[in-house]
Amino acid sequence: MRIDILRGDLTTRGVDAIVNAANSSLLGGGGVDGAIHRAAGRELLEACRELRRTQLQDGLPVGSAVATPAFKLPSRWVIHTVGPNRHAGQTDPALLASCFRESLSVAAGLGARSVAFPAISAGIYGWDARQVAEVAFDAVRWFSSSSSGRGADNSSLELVEFVLFSEDTTAVFRTVFESSPGFEA
Ligand code: APR
């Protein structure tokens, strides 16, 4: 599994699935959530409203992930996940790890071969980008060594992108990646 770290706009990535840093309502917001909804078009909100009417009547829990089509976006799917909100006292890294792990598992379950993540929780939800990067790379390591991450026969993921919106965050992710055990830079 290859990991790419790049500065860019997640909504432009032509991967199979992009991951949205949503909130539990799934009804849109600011940040990358707002950008994804704007680029995907109204049908994305309709698909999220349908999820709220059916399988997610109480909203999407922190650390969980669910997929919808991506509509007008270049990717095939959007995987929505809800990161922990430091401002609401959600400081347990296991919640953030769950966002990455669940999103990777949902992507593999869809048969996606490529997925792109933003820096979940590193914006409005107030987490430090360095800690987000550490949690993210640990989750990718866990996934690639687990059964759900093994071999192309179960159409596992081949490419994981981290798409960062600022030069600073990109530099932080690159620095953490280069010092992460188990990944060749
Ligand atoms: N592409 C890639 N990354 C982006 C983009 C974009 N188009 N827009 C913003 N980002 C970056 C931010 O700079 C930050 O580093 O995504 C990271 C996550 O920031 P947020 O989008 O604020 O997400 P988060 O911190 O998880 O807060 C989630 O914000 O947008 C609302 O509805 C969302 O309530 C939820 C909360």
Side-chain angles (χ1 to χ4, degrees):
M1 183 185 300
R2 195 177 93 224
I3 293 179
D4 282 353
I5 298 166
L6 61 124
R7 181 182 179 184
D9 177 347
L10 191 66
T11 66
T12 67
R13 302 305 300 163
V15 292
D16 287 342
I18 63 170
V19 176
N20 181 20
N23 60 61
S24 291
S25 78
L26 284 181
L27 301 180
V32 72
D33 192 8
I36 286 172
H37 275 272
R38 281 192 298 278
R42 192 186 43 76
E43 291 169 293
L44 180 59
L45 184 58
E46 278 314 305
C48 291
R49 283 190 175 132
E50 182 59 20
L51 285 172
R52 290 297 315 275
R53 281 194 290 269
T54 55
Q55 66 190 63
L56 292 171
Q57 293 184 13
D58 297 331
L60 185 65
V62 178
S64 300
V66 68
T68 65
F71 300 107
K72 294 190 173 69
L73 285 160
S75 58
R76 287 182 64 187
W77 297 286
V78 177
I79 296 171
H80 308 264
T81 191
V82 181
N85 181 352
R86 185 166 285 281
H87 305 306
Q90 295 168 346
T91 57
D92 181 359
L95 286 171
L96 186 59
S98 178
C99 289
F100 288 102
R101 291 183 175 200
E102 290 299 308
S103 297
L104 288 165
S105 298
V106 168
L110 291 167
R113 290 192 176 274
S114 55
V115 64
F117 284 94
I120 299 168
S121 287
I124 293 167
Y125 279 178
W127 280 63
D128 173 65
R130 169 173 289 276
Q131 187 172 11
V132 174
E134 288 163 353
V135 169
F137 296 136
D138 279 348
V140 173
R141 207 182 350 262
W142 166 82
F143 182 82
S144 58
S145 62
S146 69
S147 58
S148 51
R150 191 184 58 235
D153 54 338
N154 63 1
S155 67
S156 65
L157 286 170
E158 294 163 355
L159 170 63
V160 177
E161 288 187 346
F162 289 95
V163 182
L164 295 324
F165 211 43
S166 72
E167 203 47 63
D168 288 353
T169 306
T170 308
V172 166
F173 267 65
R174 287 209 173 107
T175 303
V176 171
F177 181 72
E178 281 152 16
S179 58
S180 290
F183 292 121
E184 64 280 353

